[in-house]
């Protein structure tokens, strides 16, 4: 029998509590996570284990073999210093085909956001909301003016670029940020649209394109604008390796910019700001490129299946996404925070309600894409917790997923 969980922790901060914190509060109710050589088989006590729909990880990467290699090297990884950041960065650039002079690696993308704010944001920053909270919280904490551009639900939270540019001009913002795909709705701007925005804002102090979830995009083959950032005077593209590789705990990410901008950030970072786990993973990547691209294909398939399954839940609105998560709107009168608490304590399903995101309310949930077995458990918990509609039928879903998911795409070679 699991111990009761104190749900007050879930309401204490602007972000969800860590998985480690939840496990310490209820140690007999650990995660239903991959293990050893059988990464997706549930233990016999799976019904007592939590399933995480909150933290946006890639469930298919790293491979069990990669975990085994790290486990076998655990003593040396923990005991000895890592190489300096330049060495790890050079290897990452070799894998990704980037020029090391245009790259700075950080201890998670949030470290890079912090330094971007301290070094490059002087007075004001424009950002569409809702979005990733550090892009509003960090500059506010250092006394900057944050000009927030509200995304509209009736427009499916789509960012109207012309209106955004007009907003920036009216406010006199000197820095502009977009997240592409955006978090929490998964809205995606195509590459040519982002390039247009960069052209329009070439006079600003800085334009940041946060591409933390860009590898999950299947709408076009080459969605990133990192190549544009490396040759423009005022553009930074931010990447998060933890989200793509399913390794949030390692805390590693990088930015791409022109050599002068990248060097300014790189010089501010500690020489050993990357840990030995990050180094270990980066130096394995060349061997596992095919498996990584396969994981993205599997996740794309799961996203379509999950959206279709959720769209069948009565009175649940599902928004199309290019991230590894889906934004859903709960029926009128349902409190997302209360629903989250009940789903976790009674059904072991951990979800993210968006009431503490600026520009959102607790009527919205962000649900991480997971395999269909886990989605069935999520849906069963939702159906048990949500009030039944008058007809028991789902209303028409203007934002729902296509009727049939795409077939598994052919794997691209490792890039």
């Amino acid at each position: 029998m699991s111990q009761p969980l104190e749900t007050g922790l879930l309401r204490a901060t602007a972000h969800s509590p860590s998985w480690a914190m939840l496990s310490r509060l209820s140690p007999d109710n650990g995660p239903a996570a991959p293990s050893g050589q059988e990464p997706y088989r549930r233990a016999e006590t799976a019904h007592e284990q939590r399933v995480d729909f909150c933290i946006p990880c890639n469930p298919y990467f790293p491979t069990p073999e990669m975990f085994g290699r790290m486990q076998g090297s655990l003593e040396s990884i923990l005991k000895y210093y890592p190489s300096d950041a330049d060495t790890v960065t050079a290897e990452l650039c070799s894998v990704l085909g980037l020029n090391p002079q245009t790259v700075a690696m950080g201890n998670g993308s949030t470290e890079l956001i912090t330094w971007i704010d301290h070094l490059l944001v002087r007075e004001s920053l424009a950002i569409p909301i809702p979005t990733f909270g550090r892009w509003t919280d960090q500059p506010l904490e250092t006394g900057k003016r944050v000009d927030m551009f509200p995304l509209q639900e009736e427009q499916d939270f789509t960012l109207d670029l012309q209106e955004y540019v007009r907003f920036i001009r009216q406010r006199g913002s000197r820095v502009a940020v977009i997240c592409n795909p955006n978090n929490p709705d998964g809205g995606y701007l195509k590459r040519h649209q982002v390039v247009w925005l960069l052209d329009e804002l070439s006079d600003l102090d800085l334009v940041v394109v946060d591409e933390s979830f860009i590898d999950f995009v299947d709408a076009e083959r080459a969605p990133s604008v990192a190549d544009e950032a490396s040759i423009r005077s005022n553009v930074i593209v931010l990447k998060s390796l933890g989200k793509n590789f399913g390794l949030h705990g390692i805390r590693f990410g990088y930015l791409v910019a022109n050599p002068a901008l990248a060097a300014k950030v790189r010089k501010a970072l500690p020489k050993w700001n990357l840990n030995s786990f990050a180094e270990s993973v980066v130096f394995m990547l060349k061997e596992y490129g095919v498996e990584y691209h396969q994981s993205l294909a599997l996740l794309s398939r799961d996203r379509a299946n999950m959206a279709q399954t959720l769209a069948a839940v009565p009175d649940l609105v599902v928004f199309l996404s290019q991230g590894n998560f889906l934004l859903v709107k709960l029926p009128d009168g349902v409190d997302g925070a209360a629903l989250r608490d009940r789903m976790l304590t009674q059904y072991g399903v951990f979800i993210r309600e968006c009431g503490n995101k600026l520009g959102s309310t607790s009527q919205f949930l962000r649900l991480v894409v997971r395999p269909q077995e886990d989605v069935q458990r999520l849906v069963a918990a939702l159906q048990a917790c949500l009030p039944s509609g008058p007809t028991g039928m789902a209303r028409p879903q203007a934002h729902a997923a296509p009727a049939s998911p795409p077939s598994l795409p052919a794997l691209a070679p490792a890039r």
Side-chain angles (χ1 to χ4, degrees):
M1 179 69 68
S2 63
Q3 299 175 4
L5 180 66
E6 176 50 59
T7 57
L9 176 71
L10 302 177
R11 304 167 188 263
T13 69
H15 299 278
S16 299
S18 70
W19 195 261
M21 177 65 76
L22 289 180
S23 298
R24 284 194 294 271
L25 289 174
S26 186
D28 61 334
N29 192 13
S35 62
Q37 300 303 310
E38 297 178 326
Y40 310 117
R41 178 181 294 179
R42 295 289 182 258
E44 293 180 1
T45 57
H47 67 284
E48 295 182 350
Q49 295 175 314
R50 283 191 297 272
V51 179
D52 173 30
F53 283 91
C54 176
I55 302 166
C57 265
N58 181 346
Y60 297 113
F61 198 83
T63 67
E65 181 181 351
M66 293 177 72
F67 277 119
R69 287 176 61 176
M70 284 188 281
Q71 186 174 8
S73 303
L74 185 62
E75 182 175 348
S76 61
I77 287 173
L78 294 177
K79 188 177 281 290
Y80 298 106
Y81 284 114
S83 300
D84 59 53
D86 287 345
T87 300
V88 182
T89 301
E91 176 65 14
L92 180 71
C93 290
S94 174
V95 174
L96 301 178
L98 298 172
N99 182 339
Q101 293 184 332
T102 67
V103 174
M105 285 194 72
N107 186 242
S109 60
T110 51
E111 180 181 53
L112 297 173
I113 291 171
T114 301
W115 281 109
I116 288 170
D117 172 53
H118 282 296
L119 297 172
L120 303 171
V121 181
R122 298 177 183 176
E123 56 185 58
S124 56
L125 177 146
I127 179 75
I129 58 168
T131 196
F132 178 51
R134 287 313 301 167
W135 281 118
T136 55
D137 298 350
Q138 172 61 42
L140 285 172
E141 289 166 7
T142 54
K144 316 294 171 48
R145 191 185 81 233
V146 179
D147 301 324
M148 303 181 202
F149 179 76
L151 301 174
Q152 303 301 318
E153 178 190 346
E154 56 269 23
Q155 297 174 359
D156 298 346
F157 297 102
T158 300
L159 175 58
D160 184 322
L161 289 179
Q162 291 186 339
E163 286 297 320
Y164 186 43
V165 170
R166 190 173 297 116
F167 172 84
I168 290 167
R169 298 305 183 198
Q170 290 174 344
R171 296 297 181 94
S173 314
R174 296 307 306 160
V175 174
V177 177
I178 62 168
C179 294
N180 194 39
N182 191 41
N183 172 10
D185 57 278
Y188 172 66
L189 299 167
K190 289 193 173 182
R191 175 186 160 89
H192 73 88
Q193 296 175 287
V194 179
V195 171
W196 177 89
L197 180 68
L198 301 182
D199 289 340
E200 289 292 310
L201 300 179
S202 61
D203 61 311
L204 295 193
D205 295 344
L206 184 67
V207 181
V208 181
V209 183
D210 186 337
E211 293 185 347
S212 291
F213 297 97
I214 200 78
D215 278 16
F216 300 114
V217 169
D218 61 13
E220 55 184 337
R221 187 171 178 82
S224 177
V225 295
D227 58 328
E228 292 285 336
S230 66
I231 59 173
R232 291 175 180 260
S233 63
N234 72 331
V235 176
I236 287 177
V237 166
L238 189 69
K239 306 273 194 173
S240 171
L241 295 172
K243 297 177 178 66
N244 300 343
F245 297 151
L247 291 169
H248 283 286
I250 287 184
R251 309 303 304 139
F252 59 160
Y254 67 100
L255 63 77
V256 180
N258 72 69
L261 262 182
K264 187 170 186 176
V265 176
R266 203 164 50 239
K267 289 176 181 176
L269 296 168
K271 189 174 181 64
W272 283 279
N273 68 321
L274 303 173
N275 61 66
S276 295
F277 275 113
E279 179 176 13
S280 177
V281 172
V282 167
F283 275 82
M284 277 196 279
L285 290 179
K286 282 181 179 176
E287 303 174 53
Y288 294 95
V290 170
E291 290 84 352
Y292 175 60
H293 286 278
Q294 185 175 21
S295 78
L296 299 179
L298 290 169
L299 195 139
S300 176
R301 177 204 64 188
D302 287 350
R303 180 173 59 207
N305 283 330
M306 181 172 166
Q308 180 180 348
T309 301
L310 288 171
V313 177
D315 291 323
L316 202 67
V317 177
V318 184
F319 293 83
L320 294 180
S321 170
Q322 284 285 289
N324 64 331
F325 46 81
L326 296 168
L327 184 71
V328 302
K329 185 180 182 183
L330 297 168
D332 292 342
V334 176
D335 177 12
L339 175 69
R340 175 205 57 209
D341 294 354
R342 185 179 174 192
M343 295 268 287
L344 179 59
T345 56
Q346 295 185 19
Y347 298 94
V349 176
F350 186 30
I351 61 175
R352 172 68 157 101
E353 65 87 21
C354 298
N356 58 7
K357 277 188 172 288
L358 293 170
S360 184
T361 72
S362 64
Q363 198 175 359
F364 291 91
L365 306 177
R366 187 197 67 192
L367 302 173
V368 171
V369 172
R370 291 191 64 91
Q372 192 65 9
E373 176 187 357
D374 293 337
V375 174
Q376 293 299 330
R377 182 170 164 187
L378 167 70
V379 168
L382 283 170
Q383 290 175 331
C385 293
L386 292 176
S388 300
T391 63
M393 299 292 290
R395 60 176 169 166
Q397 302 291 333
H399 314 292
S404 59
S407 59
L408 192 66
L411 296 180
R415 293 180 285 161

